[in-house]
């Protein structure tokens, strides 16, 4: 199967980079569309929190790193709308994206007799967003939730589009649901306090959107990478907005990943193997995706889909973003084995998201020996 | 809120009791309708298994009691359609309807590198059906599944309508999803080997459909209870068909339990309290529902919704079916506490499904002292 980003009858929204720092991007889905609010200062702005589902109780799910920075501020805003505002504070990190953490959320909700109108708020990065969304999708068979992403990675990718999941020891994001939030609130001020490693991890997902969907955006990122690394507000606002626009366009056409949506996983097949192979939490997700994009770019070139110069171009950009470009030495067999349980695999055949023209992705299988060469070339 | 079974613009399908032993009932849902096949000998009939989703692998989930009776027979049929037919055999009982069992299914699926086309088959009673359906809904964010209910309770109720769940120590069915099967195969021969206690538990759910939706069916059950207890094929076929018709009619109007669908929980608010209070597995679910219907009938009378003779009529029928009519002595406060975390509760107010006319249900709150009197009157 080939899922090309150039779907018929649809047009990627036009790009407009200007000095605005606040944007709204709408996700269009039957009956369940929602808005992504992007800008500085949103968290403390009462208007941000108007019009959400009514309930007695709001439960904020967050982690030990994020709680000291934002929990009281968000609670303060929500107290204007909910009789009780409670918090579940989980340990920080991908290693805790598991059933035990999920169950802590359920324990709290049930111990506090939270009913099925309760609204959950995911305050944190991708791990908190994925887990809270999954908890919301299955608690009493579904309660509403709101994404409040505090990392760049979550703002440009994981908080948008309704993919939720936890990890299983045998595979990343293997247990989950498609479940859409009521709203996404991406406060750009949150990025100021992000550790450099997290910023780079987020930039991996930003870079991703260029080769799969928008050649001009790829060039823009190359031109503005220094501004992004310096956390320039206008550059960051445009990058987050453009990523969300592209993701909204893809998800609007293929919410449940029957085809097109898989292109958002560029670099992720190799990346998930790295994450699972090392044990969750060793590398950040974005770091694994960065390295995975180098490998997937190389595979695109080796299959003759892209000219040779595409690999060094991607390699340079990913390295400049502060991301690893060499994978861990797991052994080639272990890489292949881990990739065979990837969700995109079918009948044991690994399927890769590859680039077949700048701004155009495709999904296809590749011969094992070629994949082995790619791994060999980009591992320590 | 009042959710009446007499919804506007819809008509419960007419009833026709005859000597046929095979029926087909269709569930109409946008894009995801499916058929319930009812009859003797369906399991061993190749035509039963035609037209299901294509895949390399089928995984049958069953339990230690059911496996010796049906696993090889179902596997034999499925080998005509799938390259690999595998089995996950779980311990039997409501006590095992938990995360640990669910995770055994995931462990198997991932260890065998089952991809997201894999079809799951739930071979067993309500516990197996609920767990397998939930596993299917979240494995790789959703794989197809087929219900093969082997108990009366599962055939008339739990396998139909797409409610899936596991229990949490603090509440029954608290973690789950709405997720529809591809087909339901109710082989009536399976009922021949059912222990008498399981047969009675199934009859509780059969009886339920009378007072909530069909006064004539209630009278039919009273007239044919001896034939049902004797497992007469034609009587059983009609009972299963009529229950499925009523359930299909309800679910077709309110798949996600925004209102009407809650009437299917007649007797369940008291019943879930009994199950959770005693510890899962002490009473069968149907036994708890039987006793719960006596309590809910009494509450309907005490609230003036039904004439006094309704209580002894329900009491007699439930007792004749071999079901308990006295609840365990958990203490009134414990009953109330357990019912406040019922999924239908809102803002700590318990909401009951009550009868307000034969064949017509409603949902409403009731004063705690009145509920206490009801519990007092029907407990050991």
């Amino acid at each position: 199967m080939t899922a090309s980003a150039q779907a018929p009858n649809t047009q990627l929204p036009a790009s407009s980079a200007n000095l605005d720092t606040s944007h709204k991007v709408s996700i269009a889905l039957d009956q369940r569309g929602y808005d992504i609010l992007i800008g500085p200062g949103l968290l403390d702005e009462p208007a941000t929190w108007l019009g959400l589902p009514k309930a007695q109780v709001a439960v904020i799910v967050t982690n030990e790193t994020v709680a000291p920075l934002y929990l009281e501020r968000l609670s303060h805003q929500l107290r204007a709308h909910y009789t009780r505002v409670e918090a579940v504070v989980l340990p920080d990190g991908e290693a805790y994206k598991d059933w035990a953490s999920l169950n802590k959320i359920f324990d709290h909700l049930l111990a506090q007799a939270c009913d099925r109108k309760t609204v959950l708020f995911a305050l944190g990065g991708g791990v908190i967003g994925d887990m809270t969304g999954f908890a919301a999708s299955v608690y009493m068979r579904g309660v509403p939730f709101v994404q409040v992403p505090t990392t760049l990675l979550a703002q440009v990718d994981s908080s948008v589009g309704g993919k939720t999941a936890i990890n299983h020891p045998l595979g990343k994001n293997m247990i989950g649901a498609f479940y859409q939030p009521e709203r996404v609130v991406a406060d750009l001020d949150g990025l100021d306090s992000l550790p450099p490693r997290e910023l780079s991890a987020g930039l991996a997902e930003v870079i991703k959107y260029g080769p799969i969907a928008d050649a001009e955006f790829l060039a823009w990122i190359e031109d503005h990478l220094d501004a992004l690394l310096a956390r320039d507000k206008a550059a960051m606002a445009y990058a987050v907005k453009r990523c969300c626009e592209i993701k909204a366009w893809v998800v609007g056409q293929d919410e449940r990943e029957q085809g097109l949506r898989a292109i958002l996983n560029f670099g992720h097949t190799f990346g998930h193997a790295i994450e699972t192979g090392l044990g969750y939490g060793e590398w950040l997700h974005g770091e694994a995706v960065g390295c995975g994009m180098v490998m997937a770019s190389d595979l695109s070139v080796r299959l003759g889909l892209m000219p040779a110069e595409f690999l060094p171009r991607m390699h340079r950009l990913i390295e400049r973003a502060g991301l690893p470009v060499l994978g861990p030495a797991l052994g080639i067999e272990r890489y292949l084995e881990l990739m065979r349980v990837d969700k995109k695999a079918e009948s044991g055949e690994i399927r890769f998201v590859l680039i077949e023209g700048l701004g155009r992705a495709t999904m296809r299988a590749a011969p094992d020996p070629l994949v082995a060469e790619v791994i060999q070339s980009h591992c320590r």
Side-chain angles (χ1 to χ4, degrees), chain A residues 71-291:
Chain A
L71 178 55
E72 181 41 42
R73 287 162 59 193
L74 178 56
S75 300
H76 174 72
Q77 292 295 325
L78 297 183
R79 276 185 214 113
H81 302 279
Y82 304 93
T83 311
R84 280 159 51 199
V85 177
E86 302 175 356
V88 177
V89 181
L90 301 170
D92 185 11
E94 184 83 29
Y96 299 97
K97 189 174 159 181
D98 59 6
W99 172 257
S101 296
L102 195 68
N103 215 29
K104 280 185 194 160
I105 303 174
F106 299 143
D107 288 346
H108 179 94
L109 293 171
L110 286 166
Q112 301 302 315
C114 292
D115 65 24
R116 62 178 158 189
K117 301 212 151 177
T118 304
V119 185
L120 303 193
F121 288 78
L123 175 67
V127 171
I128 286 292
D130 280 10
M131 271 202 296
T132 307
F134 186 41
S137 80
V138 299
Y139 182 66
M140 294 193 175
R141 300 197 184 95
V143 296
F145 85 112
V146 175
Q147 291 273 18
V148 190
T150 58
T151 66
L152 179 59
L153 185 133
Q155 293 187 351
V156 299
D157 195 59
S158 63
S159 71
V160 175
K163 273 196 183 177
T164 73
I166 55 171
N167 298 329
H168 183 282
L170 296 178
K172 191 172 151 68
N173 291 338
M174 284 295 168
I175 314 300
F178 290 98
Y179 196 69
Q180 301 295 338
E182 301 289 324
R183 185 173 297 168
V184 180
V185 177
D187 187 332
L188 298 176
D189 288 345
L191 306 182
D192 291 340
S193 56
L194 214 56
R197 217 182 133 189
E198 297 264 3
L199 182 70
S200 292
L203 288 173
E205 297 281 5
V206 173
I207 291 167
K208 171 188 84 177
Y209 288 101
I212 65 166
D214 186 348
E216 278 179 41
F217 185 49
L218 179 60
W220 182 93
I221 299 167
E222 290 172 319
D223 291 345
H224 294 80
L225 189 64
D226 294 338
L228 292 169
L229 286 165
R231 305 169 199 229
D232 173 87
K233 279 285 185 310
M236 206 56 102
Y238 175 69
V240 173
K241 181 189 84 149
R242 189 63 189 151
C243 293
C244 289
E245 281 173 350
I246 296 171
K247 186 145 188 187
W249 170 75
V250 170
V251 172
Q253 292 171 74
D254 178 24
E255 183 186 355
R256 297 183 75 86
E257 195 163 314
Q258 307 292 308
L260 177 69
R261 184 170 179 159
I263 67 167
L264 297 172
N265 275 327
F266 178 55
H268 284 58
T269 304
F270 290 105
H272 285 172
I274 293 172
E275 284 182 274
T276 309
L278 285 178
Y280 302 123
E282 276 297 307
W283 282 30
L284 294 175
H285 173 65
E287 292 172 334
V289 168
C291 182

